[in-house]
Amino acid sequence: MTSAPTALVTGVTGQDGIYLARRLLADGLRVVGVARPGSASGPRVAAYLPGMEVREADITDGATLRALVADIAPQEVYNLAALSSVGRSWEEPELTRRVNLDTVVDLVEAAHALTAAGRPVRLFQASSAEVVGQAADSPYARAKADAERVVEKARAEGLHASYARLYVHESPIRPPGFVFRKITRGAAAIALGRSDELTLGTLDVRRDWGHAAEYVDAFVRMLRRDEPVDLPLGTGIDHSLADLVEVAFAAAGVEDPWSRIVQDPDLVRPADSKVLRADPEPAAEAIGWRATTSFADLVARMVEVDLERVRSGVEDDPRYL
């Protein structure tokens, strides 16, 4: 009896990691998730990944990470782990580089070693649209861009490796520190009388927002393609943060949202891209993938879940997926 292939997913407790791990488990793979020390027994794993094998590891420790890959010997590696806040990257540039770049170097080295030993590995790297935006000089974007070069070099050396430049994607299990969830949660709290106002920074940036649950399907298609390919992943449609405020507050049943918004200049990033919008055609042509969830439907679902969170006090529940 042939054992099931193994997939290794770093950043498994993030929204992409959760949706991807569940998808891979449904495909019949053995899935091993890598999580920060102390998080494997946390509520997110218990709610969304019950019974899944999760290994705790400090991915900034290269020797530990390489040994972990050698021990698991996966056929598929999805590197989703990242310090993903652009704003935080300005505050912690060295940590950002260790997580977003050095980890990729270590994974490539480990994948090369397994492949050379006759156990071929395919690698998917989650990159970011920020690498080509007006904020491409942020520590976050620079590290992601350098990681792309690592993947390209690995591919030239014979590794099946690819990266996706991900445009912003959200879901009901997105952490509330990100502005989309901050707005949907704020609208829910105001609708239920738990809060009076919502404080935000700039409102004139425009983003291509999609649903994370759909994007992980593209990750799998890219990794399993006969020839590796690097692709942008997004909807091809952008909306402003002001649009998001209006749609979210309407979904929550709150009238006159602008009377509830307070703008704080301290929340504005040192540099930001005014518009980030994907070209969806390369992914449609190469892997037959298009995002299908509309902006309005995504916002409505996230507001619905945040209303339930505020009412119940339950932050993590599989029904939220």
Side-chain angles (χ1 to χ4, degrees):
M1 181 177 178
T2 303
S3 60
T6 298
L8 177 69
V9 180
T10 69
V12 76
T13 61
Q15 64 166 6
D16 291 4
I18 289 168
Y19 281 111
L20 176 61
R22 292 172 67 93
R23 156 66 190 274
L24 296 172
L25 288 168
D27 285 349
L29 276 68
R30 173 197 176 209
V31 182
V32 180
V34 181
R36 292 187 307 274
S39 62
S41 59
R44 286 174 71 82
V45 172
Y48 305 122
L49 300 171
M52 202 192 82
E53 185 177 351
V54 179
R55 304 276 190 98
E56 293 186 348
D58 177 1
I59 63 171
T60 67
D61 182 336
T64 296
L65 182 59
R66 293 191 299 272
L68 179 64
V69 176
D71 177 56
I72 295 169
Q75 289 76 49
E76 301 182 358
V77 174
Y78 298 87
N79 183 38
L80 311 183
L83 193 156
S84 54
S85 167
V86 176
R88 184 182 170 193
S89 78
W90 289 102
E91 301 168 1
E92 300 183 89
E94 293 182 5
L95 178 60
T96 299
R97 194 161 185 84
R98 288 203 301 273
V99 174
N100 294 3
L101 173 60
D102 294 350
T103 294
V104 183
V105 174
D106 290 320
L107 287 172
V108 164
E109 182 179 332
H112 272 312
L114 281 171
T115 299
R119 308 176 79 173
V121 179
R122 294 186 174 196
L123 172 69
F124 170 85
Q125 163 66 10
S127 190
S128 170
E130 294 280 353
V131 302
V132 292
Q134 291 157 299
D137 65 339
S138 72
Y140 171 84
R142 290 198 303 269
K144 283 290 190 180
D146 287 345
E148 290 184 356
R149 305 294 83 76
V150 172
V151 171
E152 291 167 356
K153 182 174 182 289
R155 186 164 61 237
E157 294 170 345
L159 192 69
H160 191 297
S162 58
Y163 62 80
R165 284 185 178 170
L166 302 175
Y167 286 73
V168 189
H169 48 293
E170 310 288 344
S171 74
I173 58 171
R174 178 74 137 166
F178 292 86
V179 69
F180 201 109
R181 262 295 312 281
K182 183 178 181 180
I183 290 171
T184 61
R185 179 67 175 237
I190 290 169
L192 295 174
R194 308 294 177 84
S195 180
D196 296 322
E197 60 186 32
L198 176 62
T199 303
L200 299 170
T202 184
L203 289 166
D204 61 352
V205 298
R206 302 185 67 88
R207 293 291 183 265
D208 180 336
W209 279 297
H211 197 310
E214 296 186 323
Y215 285 51
V216 300
D217 176 57
F219 303 173
V220 175
R221 293 184 186 212
M222 289 176 66
L223 183 137
R224 295 179 185 170
R225 191 174 186 267
D226 288 342
E227 296 296 327
V229 61
D230 305 322
L231 295 170
L233 297 180
T235 70
I237 302 171
D238 61 271
H239 296 271
S240 70
L241 276 172
D243 294 336
L244 174 55
V245 167
E246 292 181 350
V247 175
F249 276 71
V254 179
E255 297 180 357
D256 189 19
W258 298 113
S259 66
R260 307 295 193 119
I261 301 298
V262 176
Q263 287 191 264
D264 182 353
D266 288 341
L267 297 178
V268 177
R269 293 176 181 174
D272 209 351
S273 300
K274 291 296 184 183
V275 180
L276 288 175
R277 180 180 59 251
D279 177 358
E281 298 309 317
E285 180 177 348
I287 58 172
W289 181 88
R290 287 186 187 273
T292 60
T293 302
S294 71
F295 175 74
D297 287 345
L298 174 62
V299 176
R301 174 56 180 160
M302 290 179 63
V303 169
E304 177 186 27
V305 170
D306 277 328
L307 285 166
E308 178 59 25
R309 281 192 176 102
V310 175
R311 289 190 191 101
S312 68
V314 177
E315 290 297 320
D316 295 295
D317 190 292
R319 294 174 302 143
Y320 299 162
L321 291 166

